[in-house]
Amino acid sequence: MGADGHIRGRTAPDEQDAEESLRRCARDVVDVAEGIREVSTRTRTALFAPALTASARRRPRTGLAARWALLRALTNRDGLGGSAITEPKGMGRVLGAAGEVLGRESLAALVAVTSLRLRIAAVLFDHPEYARDPGMRRLMTAVTADRDLEAVRALRALFRDQGAQRALSGLAPLTAELRAVRALLDENPENDETGWALAAGAGRSAGPVHGGSAARPAGTDQGGGAAEAVDLSGQERQTIATEGSLLGFLRNIEVVAAGGRILVQNVRGPDGVVRYVVQAPGTTPGRPRNDSPQDFVGPWRSLFPAESPHTSSILLALADHGIPRGADLALIGHGEGGIALMNLAQDEEFCRAYRVTHVIAVGSPVHNRRPADPRTWVAAITNQHDLVPVLAGRDARSAFDPHPNRYEADYAGPTREFPLCHMLREYTEHLRTVIPEVRKDVEEALAPYRGPVVRTQAYRLKDRARPPEGYPFLTVPTTPLPTTTGPVDVPVRYYDSSAAHLCFAVDAAAARGLLPDVTWMVPSRLGRRALAVLSLYEHRCSTIGPYAEIALSVLVDDLWRPRPYDIAADLLRRVDLRRTGRYVLSLAVSSEEARVVSRQIWGQPAVRMAAEADLMSRHLGLTAPGLGLAVKGRLGRGLRCPEADWTLYGRRGESTVRTLVRTHGRLRLHTGTGVRLRLGTAAAEPMAGQLRRLGIDTALPHFVLSCPQFVFHRSAGAVLPR
């Protein structure tokens, strides 16, 4: 441990390879961007200098020509580019706004963005799995392409993902880069300063440079949180510590972590004074919740905006506890709880009401935050393998301007896997066995809080009422059904998906030969031909996790009373009243849970295959190396179509399984001339053989139905006696 209380980490011997080269290149590009920005600043100052303004009035011919030359240098695409004008008022403000309306960006900002993209490439070099994730790919594309609304939707979809642990793993190393790119490409010129600071921090240090306080004024309820006192169970009361100690407080946090709760304890110190200890856990395990701010969305609400629901909920809990003004408080938190408690410590009004003596954050990104009261002792304990503290990084200035009351322990623990290395149980064990000197130092600092606990009260934190995710379309009653991988709630909800349906007119006899060997299932005919559909899906967020899906199906008639052209009349009926549907011949999915659900609940012949899909834009792209299948092409403008619900058929034993799919999104009809299907010579069966028998492997789709973004839900399969 260093003299400043910081445990130095061990560096890997091969750490200076290609990844470090990318980082060095990023720093060099930042230097170039900084020079361009300095030139822009000097040019802008000269353009609006009073002397040049006066000269233009006295000698319009030469003075105006000079100002015009400077203006062109600032705004021309071949010059410094963009508006490059951020004057707070007057003509400079007007010109700057005009440049932003035209969609131009300053040359300095674009060069800085190049540096940030190099940083992203360096992170992806060490974590290539992030680039393969559809949610991360969509978010990074949206941010770097300056699509605000799309970036917000992508971020929300990423957090709705199953458990959100994958999302957090992917976002943490890229937080500085994503925020900096977004700030630099913001339409508001006044945000350029923030973006530039972030860019410089990303290029020069291990993390972003944050400024200002993230706390909100005490006594207000702008964060939308709520809190209610709750009783602990009998078993929990036996586990809660009755004496004040660091490990005891951390074990308390682990006890109340479930259920979105915090704990407030009154401790009588060695001097007989009653002090108060607030103990806040991190994110609630499992899927995000709508009723608690203590879910995976919580860290981002607590980290970026000032009014986070988690912080305001804790504030309401303290008010309910009846802590007298001027009392001593120790704030101890893990993960998101540490962020929320640090928000309180940064609030000047809160610190005037109470004396915050200690803030201890375990596995929390609070390194570069300073409490409002300089007397507050702050301890940050982080495992170097834990990705959560990377959310805010470490201020590059902290090494040169250390806080006098700050204690940092950044150690390399034996646990490397995330999220295991972030669990409080691991941190507690490490404090006991790996870094006992850190535990000793923090226990010594908490000496005024070593004594009997005279009162313990738990509080459940809640968000203010807001609609659940997918409201109202996806708010449907659900029922758990057993599968070999565990229970699955049906209908299965898909919160963020893209799809492209390639429709082919195929030989009716060939289609009939691929259907089950029963007399009553026949393909729907359009003239002398049948219709086969190759459906491509990119499910970025669903209740069974993210996955890609490739399905080959054939339209079939009513199973009991087939009628010619019944499919045309069926399109006018509600999906639950339709008699026709699509029989799924073969199905490939990229996750095991989706394979099990498809087989056991929907009766579809699913196999697991790795696949990557990008169906968000007009440029379709899907590759499935295991299937030997690739689809690429560009769609035309297309025509808007009504929302298309559909019925899917599968087989389970001797029965037919009917599944209803209800959708909500913007469906468009395109010609299929720009889309190509490529099937390798060693393509996997059975899908490859079915495609060849239908003649799809060499044909162009007659038309394509695309939906870049939509939501839908699939019901449980109903077993039919056919």
Side-chain angles (χ1 to χ4, degrees), residues 453-532:
V453 175
V454 296
R455 182 191 174 192
T456 297
Q457 181 62 59
Y459 293 90
R460 176 171 286 113
L461 308 184
K462 291 186 175 183
D463 278 344
R464 290 298 186 193
R466 67 174 189 266
E469 296 292 347
Y471 178 83
F473 182 77
L474 294 181
T475 51
V476 293
T478 61
T479 302
L481 292 182
T483 68
T484 54
T485 58
V488 173
D489 289 337
V490 292
V492 177
R493 283 94 64 208
Y494 294 80
Y495 294 93
D496 184 19
S497 296
S498 299
H501 305 280
L502 283 60
C503 302
F504 300 84
V506 299
D507 181 72
R512 179 65 186 89
L514 296 176
L515 293 174
D517 189 17
V518 291
T519 59
W520 39 262
M521 184 173 288
V522 295
S524 298
R525 291 175 180 266
L526 299 174
R528 297 182 178 180
R529 310 282 282 177
L531 188 65

Side-chain angles (χ1 to χ4, degrees), residues 449-719:
Y449 294 86
R450 294 187 64 86
V453 175
V454 296
R455 182 191 174 192
T456 297
Q457 181 62 59
Y459 293 90
R460 176 171 286 113
L461 308 184
K462 291 186 175 183
D463 278 344
R464 290 298 186 193
R466 67 174 189 266
E469 296 292 347
Y471 178 83
F473 182 77
L474 294 181
T475 51
V476 293
T478 61
T479 302
L481 292 182
T483 68
T484 54
T485 58
V488 173
D489 289 337
V490 292
V492 177
R493 283 94 64 208
Y494 294 80
Y495 294 93
D496 184 19
S497 296
S498 299
H501 305 280
L502 283 60
C503 302
F504 300 84
V506 299
D507 181 72
R512 179 65 186 89
L514 296 176
L515 293 174
D517 189 17
V518 291
T519 59
W520 39 262
M521 184 173 288
V522 295
S524 298
R525 291 175 180 266
L526 299 174
R528 297 182 178 180
R529 310 282 282 177
L531 188 65
V533 182
L534 182 64
S535 299
L536 316 175
Y537 297 94
E538 181 185 9
H539 304 305
R540 291 174 291 274
C541 177
S542 77
T543 53
I544 57 174
Y547 67 98
E549 178 181 353
I550 307 169
L552 177 62
S553 59
V554 171
L555 270 68
V556 295
D557 284 334
D558 184 0
L559 304 184
W560 275 269
R561 295 186 301 274
R563 298 182 181 89
Y565 304 101
D566 196 24
I567 182 174
D570 239 11
L571 293 176
L572 303 177
R573 302 187 182 107
R574 294 192 335 232
V575 64
D576 53 333
L577 299 178
R578 291 179 188 170
R579 299 182 175 89
T580 62
R582 287 160 42 196
Y583 183 86
V584 179
L585 299 174
S586 56
L587 175 68
V589 294
S590 60
S591 77
E592 179 61 19
E593 187 171 7
R595 187 193 70 84
V596 171
V597 171
S598 299
R599 281 185 170 271
Q600 299 181 12
I601 294 182
W602 298 323
Q604 298 171 1
V607 297
R608 184 179 179 182
M609 288 287 182
E612 294 185 13
D614 187 3
L615 310 174
M616 287 290 297
S617 65
R618 292 183 183 175
H619 293 274
L620 301 181
L622 182 140
T623 57
L627 291 176
L629 176 70
V631 177
K632 294 187 181 299
R634 187 182 188 281
L635 300 174
R637 295 183 63 86
L639 299 175
R640 180 73 180 273
C641 297
E643 294 175 354
D645 299 337
W646 61 85
T647 304
L648 297 178
Y649 289 114
R651 293 284 288 177
R652 186 187 303 153
E654 298 299 321
S655 302
T656 301
V657 181
R658 181 175 184 257
T659 304
L660 303 183
V661 182
R662 300 179 184 271
T663 67
H664 178 60
R666 296 183 176 180
L667 188 68
R668 301 189 73 86
L669 174 66
H670 309 264
T671 62
T673 55
V675 180
R676 296 290 186 276
L677 169 67
R678 294 182 176 86
L679 197 62
T681 56
E685 297 291 341
M687 184 176 291
Q690 294 169 346
L691 291 171
R692 292 191 177 101
R693 290 179 62 181
L694 293 173
I696 293 177
D697 57 327
T698 58
L700 294 177
H702 279 61
F703 58 92
V704 177
L705 294 171
S706 72
C707 198
Q709 186 173 24
F710 70 112
V711 296
F712 69 103
H713 56 80
R714 295 183 183 179
S715 69
V719 179

Side-chain angles (χ1 to χ4, degrees), residues 348-402:
E348 295 182 0
E349 186 176 341
F350 181 82
C351 291
R352 284 194 296 267
Y354 311 108
R355 182 173 181 266
V356 181
T357 60
H358 299 75
V359 177
I360 300 173
V362 178
S364 303
V366 299
H367 297 281
N368 55 352
R369 299 190 177 197
R370 297 195 176 197
D373 188 345
R375 299 171 297 175
T376 301
W377 191 81
V378 179
I381 303 172
T382 54
N383 184 347
Q384 292 176 2
H385 307 303
D386 186 357
L387 294 176
V388 174
V390 187
L391 281 169
R394 182 173 288 106
D395 194 335
R397 298 170 296 179
S398 61
F400 306 100
D401 186 20

